[in-house]
């Protein structure tokens, strides 16, 4: 009986641990300011909602802002999308196929485009294109891992 409780506990905390690990593994080129943590934040907040994850996601959006040297940009983008998702009636993100990668790409693409437009030069445009492509590609394996661990919930 205790083995099942431990496994259930580990499954419940896995999304939280994933965010912490991805945020801590920040490297300038591959994971600037821990931006890859936005993937489980998006997925566990909107696609497969985890209980009590929204306050945690808000905190980590703020921590991404801290490392990115943006005031409250990612936090505001998360709150805006959270509000839009709460008021929508046209589609349900929990039932969208392919783990809602298209919606994530819209969310992340708009956010990166706005950041790029604030200081428009060729270097920032190339960096934004790279970051968008890299995060979009990594969305698939990270969400597949989250779904695999969450399969029995």
């Amino acid at each position: 009986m205790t083995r099942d409780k431990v496994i259930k506990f580990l499954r419940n905390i896995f999304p939280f641990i994933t965010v912490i690990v991805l945020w801590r593994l920040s490297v300038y080129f591959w994971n600037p300011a821990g931006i890859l943590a936005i993937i489980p934040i998006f997925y566990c907040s909107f696609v497969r909602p985890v209980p009590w994850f929204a306050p945690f996601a808000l905190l980590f959006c703020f921590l991404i802002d801290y490392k990115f040297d943006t005031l409250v940009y990612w936090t505001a983008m998360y709150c805006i999308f959270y509000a839009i998702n709460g008021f929508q009636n046209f589609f349900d993100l929990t039932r969208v196929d392919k783990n809602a990668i298209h919606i994530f790409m819209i969310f992340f693409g708009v956010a990166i485009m706005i950041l790029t437009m604030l200081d428009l030069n060729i270097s920032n445009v190339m960096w934004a294109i790279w970051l968008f492509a890299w995060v979009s590609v990594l969305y698939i394996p990270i969400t597949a891992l989250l779904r695999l661990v969450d399969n029995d919930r």
Side-chain angles (χ1 to χ4, degrees), residues 83-117:
I84 290 170
N85 187 48
F87 289 121
Q88 58 83 22
N89 291 326
F90 300 109
F91 56 92
D92 184 11
L93 287 182
T94 59
R95 295 186 190 344
V96 175
D97 61 341
K98 298 179 185 173
N99 292 340
I101 188 168
H102 304 308
I103 306 212
F104 174 77
M105 290 172 71
I106 291 169
F107 164 73
F108 192 73
V110 167
I112 289 295
M113 186 177 70
I114 292 170
L115 270 180
T116 304
M117 294 299 163

XYZ file of all heavy atoms in Angstrom, residues 83-117:
284
model
N -6.511 34.453 -18.569
C -7.799 35.148 -18.631
C -8.527 34.828 -19.937
O -9.734 34.565 -19.933
C -7.597 36.648 -18.488
N -7.797 34.842 -21.054
C -8.413 34.514 -22.346
C -8.951 33.090 -22.317
O -10.065 32.824 -22.773
C -7.398 34.699 -23.496
C -7.096 36.179 -23.704
C -7.906 34.071 -24.780
C -5.939 36.437 -24.650
N -8.161 32.164 -21.779
C -8.593 30.774 -21.706
C -9.811 30.619 -20.790
O -10.677 29.792 -21.044
C -7.452 29.890 -21.213
C -7.790 28.431 -21.283
O -8.280 27.950 -22.295
N -7.538 27.721 -20.206
N -9.898 31.407 -19.756
C -11.029 31.324 -18.836
C -12.322 31.854 -19.426
O -13.404 31.402 -19.066
N -12.212 32.810 -20.353
C -13.410 33.415 -20.925
C -13.807 32.835 -22.277
O -14.812 33.220 -22.845
C -13.223 34.923 -21.075
C -13.218 35.643 -19.767
C -12.130 36.395 -19.382
C -14.298 35.559 -18.904
C -12.117 37.060 -18.174
C -14.299 36.212 -17.690
C -13.201 36.972 -17.327
N -13.030 31.926 -22.818
C -13.324 31.404 -24.155
C -14.447 30.381 -24.112
O -14.633 29.696 -23.127
C -12.061 30.813 -24.780
C -11.403 29.704 -23.986
C -11.988 28.341 -24.192
O -12.619 28.083 -25.202
N -11.818 27.469 -23.236
N -15.163 30.288 -25.209
C -16.232 29.308 -25.361
C -16.089 28.486 -26.641
O -16.867 27.586 -26.883
C -17.604 29.999 -25.409
C -17.964 30.582 -24.077
O -17.629 30.035 -23.043
N -18.655 31.708 -24.109
N -15.113 28.827 -27.468
C -15.022 28.218 -28.794
C -14.290 26.887 -28.809
O -14.604 26.003 -29.580
C -14.342 29.173 -29.779
C -15.092 30.460 -29.926
C -14.594 31.638 -29.403
C -16.325 30.494 -30.564
C -15.296 32.821 -29.531
C -17.036 31.664 -30.693
C -16.511 32.834 -30.170
N -13.285 26.721 -27.990
C -12.532 25.472 -27.979
C -12.097 25.150 -26.558
O -11.972 26.028 -25.718
C -11.314 25.538 -28.907
C -10.377 26.665 -28.596
C -9.315 26.493 -27.741
C -10.562 27.921 -29.178
C -8.455 27.530 -27.445
C -9.708 28.961 -28.889
C -8.645 28.768 -28.021
N -11.887 23.880 -26.317
C -11.466 23.404 -25.005
C -10.047 22.851 -25.147
O -9.835 21.861 -25.842
C -12.437 22.322 -24.533
C -12.133 21.842 -23.137
O -11.305 22.473 -22.450
O -12.733 20.832 -22.731
N -9.084 23.491 -24.512
C -7.693 23.070 -24.660
C -7.430 21.679 -24.116
O -6.472 21.029 -24.521
C -6.763 24.072 -23.969
C -6.576 25.404 -24.667
C -5.600 26.267 -23.904
C -6.108 25.216 -26.076
N -8.265 21.212 -23.215
C -8.048 19.863 -22.673
C -8.411 18.786 -23.688
O -8.036 17.638 -23.520
C -8.868 19.652 -21.393
O -10.254 19.828 -21.676
C -8.433 20.615 -20.305
N -9.123 19.140 -24.740
C -9.534 18.169 -25.754
C -8.852 18.379 -27.106
O -9.162 17.702 -28.074
C -11.040 18.231 -25.955
C -11.834 17.814 -24.747
C -13.294 17.768 -25.072
N -14.332 17.618 -24.145
C -14.347 17.224 -22.897
N -13.303 16.953 -22.324
N -15.411 17.112 -22.169
N -7.923 19.305 -27.194
C -7.227 19.584 -28.454
C -6.193 18.494 -28.703
O -5.526 18.026 -27.781
C -6.553 20.975 -28.393
C -5.731 21.250 -29.630
C -7.595 22.053 -28.214
N -6.052 18.077 -29.977
C -5.099 17.031 -30.300
C -3.673 17.571 -30.350
O -3.446 18.775 -30.339
C -5.463 16.354 -31.625
C -5.452 17.316 -32.795
O -5.521 18.534 -32.570
O -5.370 16.836 -33.936
N -2.721 16.673 -30.389
C -1.289 16.969 -30.442
C -0.826 17.827 -29.272
O 0.052 18.680 -29.413
C -0.916 17.623 -31.762
C -1.181 16.747 -32.967
C -0.824 17.453 -34.243
C -1.225 16.598 -35.417
N -1.064 17.290 -36.675
N -1.425 17.623 -28.113
C -1.066 18.344 -26.886
C -1.140 19.857 -27.045
O -0.427 20.578 -26.372
C 0.312 17.929 -26.388
C 0.350 16.518 -25.896
O -0.677 15.938 -25.576
N 1.525 15.942 -25.835
N -1.960 20.328 -27.950
C -2.199 21.767 -28.181
C -0.934 22.504 -28.591
O -0.728 23.653 -28.216
C -2.841 22.405 -26.964
N -0.103 21.868 -29.393
C 1.149 22.508 -29.809
C 0.883 23.764 -30.630
O 1.605 24.746 -30.518
C 2.076 21.539 -30.564
C 3.430 22.218 -30.792
C 1.456 21.071 -31.848
C 4.511 21.301 -31.254
N -0.167 23.763 -31.432
C -0.466 24.939 -32.254
C -0.828 26.135 -31.371
O -0.404 27.256 -31.654
C -1.601 24.635 -33.234
C -1.335 23.450 -34.105
N -0.178 23.309 -34.846
C -2.053 22.329 -34.348
C -0.203 22.176 -35.505
N -1.342 21.554 -35.219
N -1.561 25.894 -30.341
C -1.947 26.993 -29.451
C -0.736 27.469 -28.658
O -0.560 28.665 -28.449
C -3.091 26.536 -28.526
C -4.159 26.022 -29.399
C -3.479 27.622 -27.555
C -5.502 26.023 -29.264
N 0.120 26.521 -28.254
C 1.346 26.925 -27.577
C 2.225 27.764 -28.496
O 2.823 28.758 -28.062
C 2.135 25.703 -27.088
C 3.474 26.059 -26.522
C 3.564 26.604 -25.244
C 4.635 25.880 -27.248
C 4.794 26.957 -24.716
C 5.862 26.226 -26.733
C 5.947 26.764 -25.463
N 2.321 27.370 -29.762
C 3.138 28.128 -30.712
C 2.591 29.539 -30.905
O 3.368 30.484 -31.058
C 3.239 27.374 -32.033
C 4.081 26.117 -31.928
S 4.034 25.081 -33.388
C 4.963 26.057 -34.536
N 1.284 29.687 -30.882
C 0.695 31.031 -30.976
C 1.039 31.827 -29.725
O 1.493 32.976 -29.819
C -0.828 30.941 -31.184
C -1.147 30.382 -32.565
C -1.484 32.306 -30.989
C -2.596 30.012 -32.769
N 0.837 31.233 -28.559
C 1.149 31.900 -27.294
C 2.617 32.321 -27.248
O 2.944 33.481 -26.999
C 0.816 30.971 -26.126
C 1.425 31.355 -24.816
C 0.941 32.440 -24.110
C 2.479 30.630 -24.280
C 1.500 32.796 -22.886
C 3.042 30.974 -23.073
C 2.552 32.069 -22.369
N 3.515 31.381 -27.502
C 4.939 31.664 -27.398
C 5.417 32.566 -28.531
O 6.256 33.446 -28.315
C 5.730 30.351 -27.378
C 7.161 30.531 -26.986
C 7.479 30.811 -25.675
C 8.174 30.434 -27.916
C 8.798 30.989 -25.296
C 9.485 30.601 -27.547
C 9.803 30.878 -26.240
N 4.888 32.357 -29.731
C 5.287 33.182 -30.869
C 4.911 34.640 -30.688
O 5.712 35.539 -30.988
N 3.708 34.898 -30.211
C 3.292 36.284 -29.966
C 4.168 36.906 -28.882
O 4.613 38.055 -29.007
C 1.795 36.337 -29.582
C 1.407 37.681 -29.030
C 0.935 35.982 -30.781
N 4.451 36.149 -27.835
C 5.281 36.680 -26.746
C 6.691 37.013 -27.227
O 7.225 38.090 -26.929
C 5.328 35.679 -25.595
N 7.304 36.117 -27.987
C 8.655 36.368 -28.498
C 8.646 37.499 -29.518
O 9.566 38.317 -29.559
C 9.240 35.065 -29.101
C 9.568 34.090 -27.989
C 10.458 35.324 -29.939
C 10.665 34.542 -27.046
N 7.606 37.574 -30.350
C 7.534 38.646 -31.346
C 7.452 40.013 -30.665
O 8.112 40.962 -31.086
C 6.332 38.437 -32.260
C 6.262 39.429 -33.399
S 4.896 39.122 -34.520
C 3.511 39.551 -33.496
N 6.668 40.117 -29.609
C 6.564 41.395 -28.889
C 7.908 41.752 -28.272
O 8.343 42.913 -28.351
C 5.452 41.324 -27.825
C 4.088 41.233 -28.500
C 5.514 42.537 -26.901
C 2.949 40.929 -27.555
N 8.591 40.788 -27.679
C 9.915 41.057 -27.117
C 10.899 41.507 -28.190
O 11.721 42.389 -27.960
C 10.468 39.816 -26.421
C 10.150 39.626 -24.960
C 10.777 38.345 -24.448
C 10.584 40.800 -24.131
N 10.823 40.906 -29.360
C 11.726 41.260 -30.449
C 11.437 42.664 -30.971
O 12.360 43.416 -31.291
C 11.605 40.236 -31.593
O 11.849 38.940 -31.059
C 12.601 40.521 -32.693
N 10.178 43.029 -31.039
C 9.810 44.347 -31.549
C 10.254 45.485 -30.620
O 10.401 46.620 -31.065
C 8.298 44.447 -31.768
C 7.778 43.545 -32.851
S 8.543 43.966 -34.418
C 8.180 42.522 -35.353
